[in-house]
């Protein structure tokens, strides 16, 4: 079955430093989504990427979808303490509606 | 809209007891998903419904787990009998095909502890 790997598992940064998490799928994806889960909270949708090579930005967050539609990345510029949480990628294949979630990257931002 | 509603928010029970988790999806959403989250296994899809019909239950761990969706505004996940290894946070999520979006809206989760 489809597997989605995500690295790193944990990342500690000083406030103001950049952060990147990477996602790799064992199969070609139809689309990839990114979610953020605050400590004690639930996953919250951030963005969806559909096209090969697509790049989207949300303020300090930059999302990329690989040319082969098998990998993706999330980059945060100049992290803030409000960025703390676990970031998950999640992909779908074909016409399926279910998401396969990566293992997540837990981001800690030190003030 | 109030978003996805789950109850109870916390459940502590003893091994062997029946546990029922409840979910009310966002009105108008035609897909409903049940997930389980643990430190060891991450976020796992257990089962999902489309228009109240179970589509894929391959993630349900064993026969002790069952899920129903009697109508568009209510779903249950039942564990009978419960075991300590079932301790986890259980999330319900819903989504809609309208607008072409595929994003899922998660409820606050039910934190289950089985002693």
């Amino acid at each position: 079955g489809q597997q989605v790997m995500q690295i790193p598992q944990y990342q500690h940064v000083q406030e103001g430093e950049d952060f990147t998490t990477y996602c790799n799928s064992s199969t070609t994806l139809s689309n990839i989504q990114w979610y953020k889960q605050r400590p004690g909270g639930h996953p919250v949708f951030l963005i969806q990427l559909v096209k090969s090579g697509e790049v989207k930005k949300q303020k300090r967050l930059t999302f990329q979808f690989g040319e082969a539609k098998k990998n993706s990345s999330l980059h945060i510029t100049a992290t803030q303490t409000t960025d703390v949480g676990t970031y998950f990628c999640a992909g779908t294949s074909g016409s399926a509606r279910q998401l396969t979630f990566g293992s997540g990257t837990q981001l800690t931002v030190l003030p | 809209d109030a978003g996805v509603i789950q109850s109870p928010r916390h459940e502590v029970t003893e091994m062997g007891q029946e546990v029922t988790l409840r979910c009310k999806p966002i009105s108008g959403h035609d897909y409903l998903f049940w997930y389980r989250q643990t430190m060891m296994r991450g976020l796992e899809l257990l089962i999902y419904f489309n228009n109240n019909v179970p589509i894929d239950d391959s993630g349900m761990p064993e026969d002790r787990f069952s899920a129903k969706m009697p109508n568009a505004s209510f779903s249950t996940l039942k564990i009978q009998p419960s075991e300590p290894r079932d301790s986890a946070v259980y999330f319900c999520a819903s989504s809609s095909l309208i607008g072409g979006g595929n994003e899922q809206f998660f409820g606050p989760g039910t934190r289950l502890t089985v002693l």
Side-chain angles (χ1 to χ4, degrees):
Chain A
Q2 179 182 315
Q3 292 186 340
V4 178
M5 310 299 291
Q6 200 172 342
I7 57 170
Q9 190 174 358
Y10 303 97
Q11 184 78 62
H12 291 210
V13 299
Q14 289 290 142
E15 189 174 16
E17 292 182 338
D18 293 356
F19 159 76
T20 305
T21 174
Y22 301 90
C23 188
N24 285 282
S25 170
S26 59
T27 60
T28 302
L29 300 170
S30 302
N31 62 69
I32 195 156
Q33 300 179 12
W34 285 89
Y35 291 78
K36 177 183 179 180
Q37 184 176 18
R38 294 182 185 275
H42 57 276
V44 175
F45 173 80
L46 293 176
I47 207 162
Q48 174 172 281
L49 304 172
V50 179
K51 300 176 183 177
S52 170
E54 188 170 14
V55 178
K56 286 188 176 180
K57 292 189 176 184
Q58 287 181 350
K59 297 182 180 179
R60 295 178 294 104
L61 278 61
T62 302
F63 304 85
Q64 293 188 339
F65 201 8
E67 293 291 338
K69 301 184 73 172
K70 295 181 73 173
N71 58 73
S72 181
S73 65
L74 158 60
H75 180 82
I76 302 178
T77 303
T79 54
Q80 301 175 358
T81 54
T82 52
D83 296 325
V84 165
T86 300
Y87 292 85
F88 293 95
C89 61
T92 61
S93 293
S95 59
R97 293 293 291 184
Q98 67 264 45
L99 293 169
T100 300
F101 278 81
S103 52
T105 296
Q106 186 176 320
L107 173 64
T108 300
V109 180
L110 305 171
Chain B
D1 198 315
V4 176
I5 299 172
Q6 289 187 248
S7 65
R9 294 293 306 277
H10 301 272
E11 177 81 25
V12 180
T13 191
E14 292 188 343
M15 181 174 62
Q17 296 298 306
E18 176 179 297
V19 175
T20 300
L21 311 181
R22 297 172 176 81
C23 175
K24 176 179 167 55
I26 292 173
S27 177
H29 281 192
D30 51 353
Y31 284 85
L32 184 140
F33 305 82
W34 281 102
Y35 291 89
R36 177 173 68 177
Q37 186 175 40
T38 61
M39 288 294 293
M40 290 298 295
R41 301 178 66 89
L43 200 56
E44 303 173 278
L45 176 65
L46 300 177
I47 184 172
Y48 80 96
F49 296 82
N50 177 218
N51 292 322
N52 314 338
V53 176
I55 302 300
D56 186 346
D57 66 353
S58 59
M60 295 286 261
E62 49 198 274
D63 292 345
R64 298 184 297 105
F65 285 69
S66 62
K68 295 182 180 179
M69 192 166 186
N71 57 63
S73 59
F74 184 67
S75 177
T76 60
L77 177 67
K78 186 174 294 187
I79 308 173
Q80 166 64 17
S82 58
E83 296 182 4
R85 60 194 169 119
D86 301 330
S87 297
V89 180
Y90 291 81
F91 288 106
C92 173
S94 69
S95 70
S96 171
L97 271 177
I98 297 173
N102 194 33
E103 63 266 33
Q104 295 184 12
F105 296 82
F106 283 74
T110 295
R111 182 174 294 276
L112 173 65
T113 303
V114 183
L115 303 174

